[in-house]
Amino acid sequence: MKKHNFYAGPSILPQYTIEKSIEGIKEFAGTGLSILEISHRSKEFVACMNDTIGLFRELLDIPAGYQVLFLGGGASLQFAMVPMNLMNTKSAYLNTGEWAGKALKEAKNFGEAVEVASSKEKLFNYIPKNYTVPQDADYFHITTNNTIYGTEIKKDMDVSIPLVADMSSDIFSRPVDVSKYALIYGGAQKNLAPAGVTFVIVREDVLGKVSRPLPSMLDYRVHIKGESMFNTPPVFAVFAAQQTLLWLKGLGGVEAIQKKNIEKAALLYDEIDRNRLFVPTIPDPEDRSLMNICFVMSENYKELEKPFADFAKTKGILGIEGHRSVGGFRASTYNALPKESVEALVSAMKEFESKN
Ligand SMILES: *Cc1c(COP(=O)(O)O)cnc(C)c1O
């Protein structure tokens, strides 16, 4: 049976990426060796790294003055690296969920990290709107897509201090005006590659302003100088990211995928709004994520949660259980998820409604 992969992360990759990865594992770039067993300093891998950086620049239209890095440690290490490298005394955070909260917690190790607003009192079911960003903070940190709760900041915001964004789960899902950000980071395992690589896009002029000593591995400037090869980079994950970006470019890039993402999300949100068994967890359509679509059973049908989860499985629908801290359902509709999978979920919801 065809499987429909709604996992939140690691998550679905394009079939193209899977097939090219298999080929690369067998033989990489005509070397007669596998991508898994080749030096990261070989000219073939250096070319792969440079091409992947080039694809980042091209697809996200990254202006001059920015560097693209591929590091280890996941987005979670960036929660600490960002304040270490950018915060002298004060930083500001928008608390829109679990990941945002973890980022804030790490920053507190390095100075005064201020929570400018939080939607915690409503289980993070909206994006706070009216808040003031302190002008004396070294940067303002946001999480553009809240993977667990299903909210998303879909427009690039204007702030007068450097803006830092965790884009782990919506990078490459839409065009981004990179010039509005000082730094963008994310784990690749949601929308780009298998787990193991973290991307960082950083405007060079924000670096070198802190006085604390930085361990080499935690200093962006060291990785810029080393061209992401200060130590061994996650070779295979970078190779896979290159394949995903080639696939995305072939589809027409981020504008084209954004159209598809909007269509897919509309299909599912419309069904959640219509179906009497389900309710969306994010009331305001403006705040609803296009990547992680969260819903629960409506008040009178709470006991049908487990039966629906089981029913969905019989249709090949996998990974729709909500995060363990939230419950209910979460369908992740990342770039690589085909529209047919959303259609399969929608028709399972309709069929389940007619049976209940
Ligand atoms: C998954 C996720 C993280 C954590 O990423 P790791 O690579 O596991 O550290 C952080 N932020 C967001 C928004 C995420 O979706």
Side-chain angles (χ1 to χ4, degrees):
M1 191 202 332
K2 176 159 174 49
K3 302 295 186 193
H4 302 287
N5 182 355
F6 289 95
Y7 278 109
S11 38
I12 188 165
L13 289 169
Q15 202 50 39
Y16 180 87
T17 302
I18 304 286
E19 275 154 23
K20 292 290 170 183
S21 295
I22 293 167
E23 283 173 26
I25 286 174
K26 287 187 174 156
E27 186 186 352
F28 170 62
T31 55
L33 301 175
S34 166
I35 181 71
L36 303 179
E37 56 176 3
I38 192 162
S39 168
H40 59 294
R41 305 207 185 271
S42 63
K43 75 172 187 330
E44 290 84 1
F45 184 73
V46 171
C48 166
M49 177 67 102
N50 289 337
D51 189 47
T52 312
I53 293 169
L55 286 161
F56 257 75
R57 290 196 172 281
E58 181 183 344
L59 290 166
L60 292 176
D61 199 12
I62 299 176
Y66 286 79
Q67 294 283 343
V68 179
L69 299 172
F70 296 115
L71 309 176
S76 299
L77 181 58
Q78 296 309 307
F79 296 165
M81 251 174 107
V82 164
M84 287 175 95
N85 283 266
L86 302 188
M87 167 166 51
N88 262 312
T89 52
K90 188 170 174 181
S91 60
Y93 281 72
L94 186 63
N95 189 0
T96 50
E98 205 156 304
W99 297 118
K102 285 183 172 164
L104 171 62
K105 176 169 178 279
E106 291 302 312
K108 287 183 174 164
N109 288 316
F110 303 101
E112 184 193 357
V114 183
E115 181 185 87
V116 299
S118 166
S119 44
K120 188 168 185 185
E121 88 288 355
K122 291 205 166 165
L123 209 71
F124 299 113
N125 75 356
Y126 69 102
I127 302 283
K129 304 277 158 28
N130 298 309
Y131 52 81
T132 319
V133 178
Q135 293 308 296
D136 58 344
D138 293 315
Y139 63 86
F140 178 47
H141 180 283
I142 60 172
T143 310
T144 49
N145 185 65
N146 297 283
T147 322
I148 294 175
Y149 299 95
T151 58
E152 187 175 8
I153 300 169
K154 284 171 265 189
K155 286 199 189 94
D156 304 308
M157 58 173 79
D158 289 297
V159 279
S160 52
I161 64 173
L163 181 62
V164 174
D166 175 356
M167 293 198 187
S168 292
S169 51
D170 62 349
I171 190 75
F172 291 112
S173 69
R174 63 172 174 94
V176 170
D177 182 352
V178 175
S179 71
K180 293 198 167 165
Y181 299 83
L183 192 150
I184 296 169
Y185 67 86
Q189 70 274 19
K190 310 281 163 58
N191 214 9
L192 184 61
V197 66
T198 310
F199 63 84
V200 176
I201 302 164
V202 56
R203 204 174 66 220
E204 275 189 278
D205 68 6
V206 296
L207 300 176
K209 295 184 175 166
V210 294
S211 48
R212 71 177 62 82
L214 295 169
S216 305
M217 274 297 283
L218 302 179
D219 186 338
Y220 292 122
R221 289 168 308 169
V222 170
H223 291 288
I224 290 172
K225 187 151 176 285
E227 300 183 338
S228 292
M229 299 234 196
F230 171 70
N231 73 322
T232 316
V235 172
F236 176 66
V238 171
F239 171 78
Q242 180 195 23
Q243 307 317 310
T244 300
L245 295 179
L246 288 168
W247 168 83
L248 182 55
K249 185 176 166 178
L251 281 181
V254 285
E255 281 88 3
I257 206 80
Q258 181 186 36
K259 279 207 192 83
K260 287 181 197 279
N261 289 334
I262 290 171
E263 267 174 43
K264 286 187 296 184
L267 206 60
L268 185 49
Y269 280 121
D270 286 351
E271 178 59 17
I272 298 167
D273 285 335
R274 185 207 64 76
N275 195 310
R276 80 192 140 80
L277 302 186
F278 303 99
V279 279
T281 58
I282 310 304
D284 185 350
E286 190 188 318
D287 290 346
R288 290 179 179 174
S289 170
L290 301 185
M291 298 280 100
N292 310 98
I293 300 178
C294 295
F295 54 103
V296 290
M297 303 308 302
S298 49
E299 211 43 56
N300 299 330
Y301 299 99
K302 289 286 177 209
E303 75 288 354
L304 289 179
E305 181 167 317
K306 174 86 170 56
F308 179 67
D310 294 339
F311 178 73
K313 272 195 199 97
T314 68
K315 305 281 180 188
I317 293 166
L318 302 179
I320 57 165
E321 301 78 21
H323 188 270
R324 58 190 192 280
S325 62
V326 188
F329 299 101
R330 168 178 55 174
S332 297
T333 51
Y334 296 122
N335 284 354
L337 186 85
K339 193 173 170 195
E340 300 81 76
S341 290
V342 180
E343 287 164 350
L345 176 56
V346 165
S347 72
M349 292 163 78
K350 287 190 199 299
E351 192 181 333
F352 195 72
E353 181 189 33
S354 69
K355 287 181 172 161
N356 289 279

